[in-house]
């Protein structure tokens, strides 16, 4: 695939009155589409006219093509082709293959359902048990996963991988019991932190940046960025001080942050960076390093997958402390202990530093804002919109993000996890958390809250971005060649009075440490 480097496109800013004017027409059009869409039978005419042998041949053709796309990590196309193969001749192997493809796209509910179908079609097909167990693990259903791997071992007692997975399930169950037992009495990871920092000694052999006092300077940040680029580690005393200062700052921020017109006219909005530190620095090289004249908003998912998540996080926190009104960070769904223990950030921090520092990151993440309003016009949120009608910006402002309960939990999950769909209405998400929301939901939310556009991230896009529904919804993704295999571009967004400019860019080389290098072999 040939992708163009550092290409920009410009689209007009939507006007609020345009959104309000077209919403009723959109609702009418969507209803008409629903009414006019023919209801297809499960067996189309082509299949009904084919013999069994012809159906099997057709299925095998689609399977061969699907396998090729899977090998190329083009899972969306693989899923589509496996689905066609299944339509002609459903088998346990095809459902298991589609399950694995869905798993790779983090569509864990779909992966689980396909694995269940595979297992029903052939209870002796061992891979179905792996697919079932992996999907349950990803969904946090550790007991169910344990049962799947136990069933596997009954059929294949000498399966070493199955035994390893069963042991993992038992460890996760015990860890969960321990976490639940101490959750009520757990103290803040930042308790007495200042005295602990003061007692720490910086050895004479340390040659890296020094943070004097509590004031982060431009010189310190510049030196830190280059020091980490050379794969060197900031002294743990200064790491803990940066985390403490960040904790004190983020606790003062509202759940929904308003950014004024002047800042919006200069701001750069970036999507997921996922531990790709060298691509983060490339954004700064292309677009300019953060400053009062070059503000940034990074829209969540800073960590996991990529193996330089610590460097990404520390770099952005340092700039946040240096320019608190001009560096903004949204919480993403991967700023979460439940995902960090699977997808690498926990293992990375433990490898590079300590459990204490990891615990401080985990607590700090709960204080990140959940959304931003730019120029009273754009809402920036990592995932998407809630499934519940009538949610207002004030409802988001009132979320107790550090310790949500009741309705707050559902709303928070939607903001972090939801995805758009082309069909109208709301549907359960295949991720297992959040919802799919249609263009009618987007337009109603915009109208009710006097906004023009939603800017979100959360999904890898081949071109680095996607514009949906006449510009009412824009997805921006800033991790090019995601996981060193997706081949996608990254992008970032700039806004002025009349236009939205989207710039795309390609991945740059990084040290020879691959993605998920610090992740345990959960899946």
């Amino acid at each position: 695939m040939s992708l163009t480097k550092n290409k920009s496109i410009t689209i007009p800013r939507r006007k609020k009155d345009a959104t309000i004017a077209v919403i009723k027409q959109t609702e009418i059009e969507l209803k008409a589409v629903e009414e006019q869409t023919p209801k297809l039978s499960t067996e189309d005419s082509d299949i009904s006219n084919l013999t069994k042998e012809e159906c099997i041949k057709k299925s095998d053709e689609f399977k061969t093509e699907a396998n090729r796309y899977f090998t190329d990590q083009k899972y969306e196309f693989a899923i589509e082709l496996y689905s066609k193969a299944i339509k002609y001749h459903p088998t346990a192997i095809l459902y298991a293959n589609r399950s694995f493809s869905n798993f790779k796209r983090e569509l864990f509910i779909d992966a689980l359902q396909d694995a269940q179908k595979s297992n029903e079609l052939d209870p002796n097909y061992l891979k179905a048990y792996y697919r079932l167990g992996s999907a349950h693990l990803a969904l946090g259903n550790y007991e169910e996963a344990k049962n799947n791997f136990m069933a596997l071992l009954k059929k294949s007692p000498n399966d070493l991988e199955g035994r390893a997975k069963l042991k993992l399930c038992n460890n996760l169950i015990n860890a969960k019991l321990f976490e639940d037992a101490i959750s009520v009495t757990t103290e803040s990871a930042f308790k007495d932190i200042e005295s602990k920092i003061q007692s720490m000694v910086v050895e004479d052999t340390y040659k890296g940046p020094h943070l004097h006092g509590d004031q982060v300077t431009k010189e310190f940040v510049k030196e830190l960025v280059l020091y980490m680029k050379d794969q060197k580690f900031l002294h743990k005393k200064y790491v803990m001080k940066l985390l403490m200062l960040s904790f004190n700052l983020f606790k003062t921020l509202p759940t929904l942050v308003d950014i004024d017109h002047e800042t919006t006219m200069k701001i750069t909005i970036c999507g997921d960076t996922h531990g790709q530190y060298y691509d983060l620095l490339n954004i700064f090289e292309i677009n300019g390093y953060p400053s009062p004249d070059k503000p940034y908003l990074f829209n969540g998912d800073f960590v996991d997958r990529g193996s330089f998540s610590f460097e990404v996080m520390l770099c952005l926190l340092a700039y946040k402390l240096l320019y608190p009104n001009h560096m903004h960070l949204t919480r993403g769904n991967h700023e979460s202990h439940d995902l960090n223990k699977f997808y690498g950030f926990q293992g990375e921090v433990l490898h590079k530093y300590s459990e204490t520092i990891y615990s401080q990151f985990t607590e700090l993440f709960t204080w990140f804002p959940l959304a931003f309003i730019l120029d009273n016009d754009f809402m920036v949120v990592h995932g998407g919109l809630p499934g519940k009608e009538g949610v207002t910006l004030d409802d988001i402002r009132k979320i107790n993000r550090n310790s949500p309960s009741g309705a707050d939990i559902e709303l928070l999950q939607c903001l972090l996890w939801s995805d758009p769909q082309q069909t109208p209405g709301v549907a359960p998400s295949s991720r297992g958390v959040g919802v799919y929301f249609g263009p009618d939901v987007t337009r109603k939310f915009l109208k009710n809250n006097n906004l023009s556009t939603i800017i979100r991230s959360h999904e890898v896009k081949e071109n680095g971005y996607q514009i949906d529904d006449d510009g009412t919804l824009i997805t921006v993704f800033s991790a090019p060649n995601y996981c060193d295999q997706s081949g996608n571009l990254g992008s970032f967004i700039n806004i002025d009075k009349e236009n939205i400019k989207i710039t795309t860019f390609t991945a740059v080389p990084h040290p020879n440490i691959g993605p998920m290098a610090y992740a345990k072999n959960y899946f």
Side-chain angles (χ1 to χ4, degrees):
M1 176 177 57
S2 176
L3 296 173
T4 305
K5 184 177 181 180
N6 301 352
K7 179 180 178 181
S8 296
I9 68 159
T10 301
I11 60 173
R13 281 181 64 168
R14 288 186 56 81
K15 306 299 182 184
K16 293 178 185 178
D17 54 355
T19 300
I20 295 170
V22 301
I23 187 167
K24 287 189 176 180
Q25 181 63 31
T26 301
E27 290 171 347
I28 293 170
E29 291 170 354
L30 288 169
K31 186 176 181 181
V33 168
E34 284 186 284
E35 292 174 349
Q36 294 172 16
T37 300
K39 307 301 181 186
L40 298 176
S41 64
T42 55
E43 287 282 334
D44 62 34
S45 57
D46 290 336
I47 295 177
S48 63
N49 292 329
L50 295 179
T51 65
K52 182 179 179 180
E53 290 74 17
E54 289 171 330
C55 285
I56 292 173
K57 181 180 178 182
K58 193 74 173 175
S59 178
D60 287 343
E61 290 173 357
F62 283 122
K63 177 186 174 183
T64 300
E65 193 174 0
N67 289 344
R68 180 169 59 82
Y69 278 110
F70 184 90
T71 301
D72 292 338
Q73 289 94 38
K74 304 299 181 185
Y75 302 117
E76 183 176 0
F77 298 117
I79 290 168
E80 181 180 348
L81 289 162
Y82 284 133
S83 298
K84 291 180 178 180
I86 287 169
K87 185 170 67 171
Y88 282 94
H89 183 61
T91 66
I93 293 174
L94 287 173
Y95 275 107
N97 288 356
R98 194 172 71 176
S99 174
F100 198 28
S101 300
N102 278 313
F103 185 91
K104 287 291 189 178
R105 294 193 66 212
E106 300 184 9
L107 303 176
F108 301 127
I109 295 294
D110 287 351
L112 179 61
Q113 291 173 347
D114 279 344
Q116 289 170 335
K117 188 65 177 178
S118 177
N119 186 246
E120 290 170 8
L121 287 172
D122 185 356
N124 293 315
Y125 184 53
L126 298 184
K127 282 190 177 179
Y129 292 97
Y130 279 112
R131 303 290 175 256
L132 281 167
S134 295
H136 277 305
L137 276 174
L139 292 166
N141 304 328
Y142 304 145
E143 288 285 358
E144 290 86 343
K146 176 181 176 179
N147 292 336
N148 295 142
F149 291 117
M150 287 177 65
L152 168 68
L153 289 170
K154 283 184 180 180
K155 294 183 177 297
S156 180
N158 297 322
D159 192 307
L160 296 180
E161 186 177 354
R163 289 192 176 279
K165 296 293 187 184
L166 179 59
K167 182 179 179 180
L168 169 63
C169 291
N170 286 325
N171 290 341
L172 288 169
I173 290 167
N174 292 334
K176 182 68 165 58
L177 291 172
F178 177 74
E179 289 172 4
D180 289 345
I182 67 171
S183 61
V184 177
T185 58
T186 298
E187 294 181 338
S188 170
F190 292 95
K191 183 180 180 181
D192 300 326
I193 186 67
E194 290 192 60
S195 60
K196 293 176 183 176
I197 292 172
Q198 289 175 4
S199 66
M200 295 175 72
V201 176
V202 179
E203 301 82 3
D204 292 339
T205 54
Y206 173 71
K207 303 301 180 183
H210 290 264
L211 180 57
H212 303 289
D214 291 344
Q215 187 64 43
V216 174
T217 65
K218 185 176 180 180
E219 290 73 22
F220 170 81
V221 176
K222 183 177 180 180
E223 188 177 355
L224 172 64
V225 168
L226 295 175
Y227 194 69
M228 293 192 299
K229 185 178 180 181
D230 289 337
Q231 295 183 267
K232 298 175 182 177
F233 298 153
L234 183 68
H235 194 279
K236 61 183 178 181
K237 176 173 184 172
Y238 303 136
V239 172
M240 292 179 70
K241 180 172 283 191
L242 287 175
L243 290 174
M244 178 195 72
L245 294 173
S246 298
F247 179 70
N248 293 338
L249 172 59
F250 276 95
K251 283 183 68 176
T252 68
L253 299 178
T255 297
L256 179 73
V257 178
D258 292 279
I259 296 179
D260 58 38
H261 173 79
E262 181 180 354
T263 304
T264 299
M265 292 303 98
K266 300 176 181 178
I267 204 162
T268 299
I269 304 164
C270 300
D272 303 34
T273 45
H274 274 300
Q276 297 184 198
Y277 182 60
Y278 296 85
D279 293 308
L280 170 67
L281 297 187
N282 188 41
I283 293 173
F284 295 153
E285 290 292 334
I286 296 168
N287 189 62
Y289 278 77
S291 73
D293 290 325
K294 183 64 68 174
Y296 279 87
L297 193 167
F298 282 86
N299 195 28
D301 277 13
F302 315 102
V303 301
D304 284 338
R305 301 290 191 179
S307 294
F308 303 95
S309 296
F310 177 86
E311 287 77 7
V312 168
M313 203 66 263
L314 210 64
C315 173
L316 295 178
L317 290 175
Y319 273 118
K320 176 66 179 175
L321 293 168
L322 179 61
Y323 303 120
N325 297 319
H326 300 92
M327 171 59 78
H328 305 282
L329 308 178
T330 318
R331 183 178 178 182
N333 64 302
H334 274 267
E335 279 66 66
S336 162
H337 171 60
D338 286 343
L339 293 186
N340 296 161
K341 66 185 178 183
F342 286 115
Y343 292 104
F345 186 58
Q346 181 186 48
E348 180 182 345
V349 177
L350 295 183
H351 176 81
K352 294 177 179 178
Y353 287 94
S354 67
E355 181 70 45
T356 297
I357 288 177
Y358 172 71
S359 297
Q360 290 169 347
F361 271 115
T362 298
E363 186 172 349
L364 174 61
F365 288 157
T366 67
W367 288 104
F368 279 20
L370 301 180
F372 289 80
I373 300 297
L374 278 58
D375 198 22
N376 296 312
D377 198 22
F378 301 85
M379 185 170 91
V380 181
V381 62
H382 177 72
L385 298 179
K388 180 181 176 182
E389 278 199 48
V391 172
T392 66
L393 298 183
D394 282 340
D395 292 326
I396 298 174
R397 288 188 176 96
K398 293 174 184 175
I399 296 175
N400 181 0
R401 65 189 187 275
N402 173 251
S403 184
S405 61
D408 277 2
I409 293 176
E410 182 179 351
L411 181 51
L412 182 150
Q413 289 176 335
C414 285
L415 295 173
L416 298 184
W417 283 90
S418 291
D419 297 293
Q421 63 180 9
Q422 296 301 313
T423 54
V426 175
S429 174
S430 296
R431 294 179 186 265
V433 188
V435 299
Y436 291 121
F437 59 95
D440 56 326
V441 176
T442 302
R443 289 181 179 263
K444 285 179 183 177
F445 182 88
L446 293 173
K447 177 187 176 183
N448 292 341
N449 291 286
N450 195 29
L451 300 169
S452 72
T453 307
I454 303 294
I455 298 175
R456 44 91 64 179
S457 302
H458 193 42
E459 291 181 287
V460 60
K461 299 296 180 182
E462 183 175 0
N463 292 317
Y465 69 94
Q466 184 166 306
I467 302 170
D468 289 307
D469 193 28
D470 195 29
T472 59
L473 186 77
I474 302 174
T475 298
V476 55
F477 192 84
S478 302
N481 195 26
Y482 180 49
C483 291
D484 285 358
Q485 66 180 25
S486 295
N488 61 289
L489 292 169
S491 75
F492 54 81
I493 293 175
N494 296 101
I495 298 169
D496 63 29
K497 290 182 180 180
E498 300 296 331
N499 298 304
I500 299 170
K501 179 182 177 183
I502 303 175
T503 301
T504 61
F505 58 96
T506 55
V508 297
H510 62 73
N512 190 27
I513 303 175
M516 304 285 283
Y518 303 103
K520 297 177 182 177
N521 185 24
Y522 286 112
F523 309 128

